[in-house]
């Protein structure tokens, strides 16, 4: 609209997983982006791990899992012949680029319109920030540089040069001053001043600038992250050691511990779209029963992420009797997010010896008061919801503002953060323990459902060839979907 004012600066945040390859000076994209929870790369993670999911953890801070971008690179190299051909070609090799969505957006914003009709912008900057780079399986976390030995380990037998990876920059920094060549006249002379992974942006937006401060984001998945300062804390309890952010070229790297859970809000979406027992997410709160009455729902649709990292797990509902109804399933689906948060909450304490005295929360599910109260009850500390709920967006904006001088320090930003609501625990310890014991039993029941070939393990049960073939086909269709 002509009435809209041009932006004063541009900041980017993105899911750290979605991934795409492209050619630097060509309108050609090898394929669409692969999303972070795509299970087609599970077997790649398993093959690289070779029985030890922590094989690369000392350098990368990460377990070997399909969640991370490196497995997507390997899948693309395995499955896109044209990509392999370009990498083997002396003329085209230097133009091949891989990147998460932040890299693609920066490339588009800093590039110029292509002469090809309908093609993307060409010739822009190919970069990412330290927070996104730390989730590839290719980054030496201490040096904050790409490591060829890690690339070779994950991508073998393919050879991928480091030149195909984006340049790594700080999270808060003026990367470029844009021009109207990108095709958007309003962007003329506008600085591009921050790039952050989504969870790191939320950490920034929740003003968790001091070691020991933490936030939990309830989105499609769920992500509890704690600032550990300039200290890189190794995890022995299934968490991710990651880079939180870096402010400016001369700024110190700020590290974090994170527990990533694959399904939270998407569990409620499943109730709506697949089971059809609700029509809106908010209905879960009104339909949910006072108690789960012994019914538990483990939403391991893509396996279990932190702190278990068990990709042989699958979703299950256990403890069901004839008296249970959809209200109990709604209750159990909400409770699952709180139980999974408790697992990560406990793992953070075990790894860091830091006892979290409160938990800042954000994301769509924080509008559900039943969930927030149950969350406070299960972790037995206060749960705090901020005034500004879009913490990921405002975190990226804060980082950009620091880069261009809107604020001079994180202390100024911290004063802008404000509390909207506090949920205090009020559950009896006996009930809390009973709930927790039930969840732990349910988790055990979810494991061991998928064999090494990615098919459901039916144990020693005998099946006719037709039934087995039909089952394999159905499992394949579900995983591809």
């Amino acid at each position: 609209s002509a009435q809209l004012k041009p932006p004063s600066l541009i900041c980017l945040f993105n899911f750290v997983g979605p991934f795409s390859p492209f050619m630097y000076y060509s309108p050609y994209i090898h394929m669409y982006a692969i999303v972070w929870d795509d299970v087609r790369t599970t077997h790649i993670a398993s093959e690289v791990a070779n029985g030890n999911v922590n094989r690369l953890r000392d350098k990368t801070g990460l377990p070997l899992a399909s969640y991370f971008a490196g497995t997507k690179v390997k899948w693309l190299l395995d499955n896109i012949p044209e990509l392999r051909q370009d990498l083997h070609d002396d003329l085209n090799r230097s133009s091949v680029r891989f990147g998460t969505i932040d890299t693609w957006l920066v490339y588009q914003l800093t590039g110029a319109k292509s002469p090809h009709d309908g093609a993307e912008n060409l010739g822009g900057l190919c970069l990412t920030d330290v927070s996104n780079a730390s989730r590839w399986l290719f980054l030496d976390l201490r040096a904050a540089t790409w490591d060829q030995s890690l690339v070779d380990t994950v991508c073998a037998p393919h050879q991928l040069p480091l030149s195909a990876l984006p340049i790594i920059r700080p999270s808060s920094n003026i990367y470029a001053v844009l021009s109207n060549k990108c095709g958007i006249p309003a962007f003329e002379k506008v600085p591009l001043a921050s790039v952050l992974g989504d969870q790191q942006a939320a950490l920034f937006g929740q003003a968790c600038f001091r070691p020991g401060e933490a936030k939990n984001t309830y989105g499609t998945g769920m992500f509890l992250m704690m600032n550990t300062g300039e200290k890189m804390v190794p995890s022995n309890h299934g968490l991710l050691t990651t880079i939180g952010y870096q402010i400016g070229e001369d700024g110190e790297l700020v590290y974090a511990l994170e527990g990533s859970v694959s399904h939270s809000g998407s569990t409620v979406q499943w109730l709506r779209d697949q089971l059809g027992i609700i029509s809106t997410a908010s209905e879960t709160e009104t339909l949910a029963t006072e108690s789960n009455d012994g019914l538990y729902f483990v939403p391991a649709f893509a396996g279990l992420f932190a702190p278990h990292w068990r990709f042989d797990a699958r979703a299950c509902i256990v403890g069901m009797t004839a008296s249970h109804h959809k209200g109990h399933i709604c209750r159990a689906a909400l409770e699952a997010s709180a139980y999974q948060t408790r697992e990560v909450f406990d793992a953070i304490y075990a790894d860091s010896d830091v006892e979290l005295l409160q938990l800042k929360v954000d994301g769509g599910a924080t509008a559900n008061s039943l969930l927030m109260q149950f969350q406070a009850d299960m972790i037995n500390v206060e749960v705090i919801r901020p005034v500004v709920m879009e913490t990921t967006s405002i975190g990226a904006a804060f980082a950009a503002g620091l880069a261009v001088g809107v604020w001079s320090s994180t202390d100024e930003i911290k004063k802008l953060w404000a509390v909207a609501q506090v949920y205090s625990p009020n559950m009896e310890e006996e009930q809390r323990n009973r709930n927790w014991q039930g969840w732990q039993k349910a988790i055990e029941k979810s494991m061991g459902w998928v064999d090494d070939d990615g098919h459901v393990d039916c144990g020693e049960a005998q099946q006719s060839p037709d039934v087995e073939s039909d089952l394999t086909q159905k499992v394949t269709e579900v995983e591809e979907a």
Side-chain angles (χ1 to χ4, degrees), residues 98 112 235 297 306 405:
F98 290 85
S235 176
F297 183 174

Side-chain angles (χ1 to χ4, degrees), residues 80-145:
I80 310 299
E82 296 85 358
L83 177 59
R84 294 196 301 272
Q85 182 178 338
D86 282 337
L87 283 169
H88 291 150
D89 186 282
D90 291 339
L91 292 177
N92 289 337
R93 184 184 307 115
S94 61
S95 292
V96 175
R97 293 291 185 275
F98 290 85
T100 41
I101 297 303
D102 59 302
T103 300
W104 175 248
L105 289 173
V106 171
Y107 177 74
Q108 290 299 297
L109 289 169
T110 57
K113 294 296 289 183
S114 168
H116 307 278
D117 289 340
E120 292 76 12
N121 289 353
L122 301 176
L125 299 174
C126 187
L127 60 85
T128 189
D129 90 300
V130 290
S131 68
N132 279 286
S134 68
R135 309 303 279 272
W136 281 54
L137 288 170
F138 293 169
L139 189 81
D140 182 321
L141 210 60
R142 293 175 180 83
T145 57

